Amino acid sequence: MLEKNKRERIIALVNKEVVPAIGCTEPMAVALCTAKAATTLGKRPDRIEVLLSPNMLKNAMGVGIPGTGMIGLPIAVSLGALIGKPEYELEVLKDLTPDSLEQGKQYIKNAEINIKLKQGDVDKLYIEVSCYAGDAQATAIISGSHTNFVYAERNGEVVFDKRGGAAGDEADDDIQLNFPMVYEFATTAPLDEISFILKTKEYNMKAAELSIKGNYGHCLGKTMDRPLSHGIFGNNIFSHIISRTASACDARMGGAMIPVMSNSGSGNQGICATNPVVVYALENENTEEEMIRALMLSHLTAIYIKQSLGKLSALCGCVVASTGSSCGITYLMGGDYTRICNSVKNMVANLTGMICDGAKPSCALKISSGVSTALLSALLSMEGKCVTSAEGIVDDDVDKCIHNLTSIGADAMRATDDMVLDIMTHK
């Protein structure tokens, strides 16, 4: 068992990275930054300037905004200015009502909202919002993570300034993980210290249940539950895992006013790290302790991979979260450390090249591909089958294998990221 100080730092990291969010985290972060700028201004703005990093713009363009029936940033910015409360963080728009929605729609018509790319070298997750009312002006900046405010000023007077290393300093305070540490913590930490991770089950399985009652996104989850799908895929643990995971994603990307528990700034990653593990544990009749440890292993694996990949990248987040859920499922199957490492290697051998082309309803399709691969990788590892270091980017050392994956996603795929954004903005 890890020493208490190290366990406490890991728990703090998980509590920081696994948090509730309503809607896609990128437009919600833009709404949050707008709410901060408008609150700092102290009055209703008549003009709003929004500057975003390319990855932020990519992830916020095509996704539904919860409770609005609308897609994209203008309505998120409008509502952030009118009803957003910075203290709600990624649930910034949870006070939305039909009346305030109508005000938000009218505000888009009457106010001037300009959304542009931020020029220059900035963090991949960067949001700068300036609100104007007459001669008054206020600016707020988020950088590094979805709720990390690094700057605010009003009428030229600085309220706070944490730029020049604040986002990095915050990251430096986090414990730096490795896979043996992730495994040891998840499988040996006292149960009362880690049982809080069951909150992810409460949030994300409820999102799946509520999604089935509506028609969100491409209805992938509902489609997997229909007789035709059962005839093709079966009515079994596999199809149930795909359905419950895709359903929650359908609702979230389709703009349902349903909170989910996110992971590393992504609700889809939170769903993907949670629902496959929960469904497998319930249907395989694992104990609650086994479910708790599997969920912690899944979520902490995703957090670990994200430490070197970054919050936003050209690599689809479902690759990261599905790798976590594959580890969790392998554990529930009775897999030991070696077999869980082999599941990671099998995942890296399969899904490495999946690109992120923004948050949108079709994310449910990518999540389904990721979860399918997670199950296949777990089964192969339990059969003693593993992709070897003679093949592709897989390495015998699991940590090196993960870093091979993240170096491709964070560095080598930058040109891919630029091309994806260019295509998306010129359609």
Side-chain angles (χ1 to χ4, degrees), residues 3 29 43 64 86 100 107 110 139 192 249 261 275 334 346 350 361 426:
E3 56 266 33
K43 59 182 73 175
S100 58
Y107 186 80
N110 297 335
T139 297
D192 63 328
C249 179
M261 198 67 85
N275 291 17
N346 291 339
N350 192 336
H426 287 90

Side-chain angles (χ1 to χ4, degrees), residues 215-221 223 250 360-365:
N215 288 304
Y216 299 105
H218 299 293
C219 297
L220 181 57
T223 299
D250 284 332
K360 61 216 172 298
S362 61
C363 285
L365 291 166

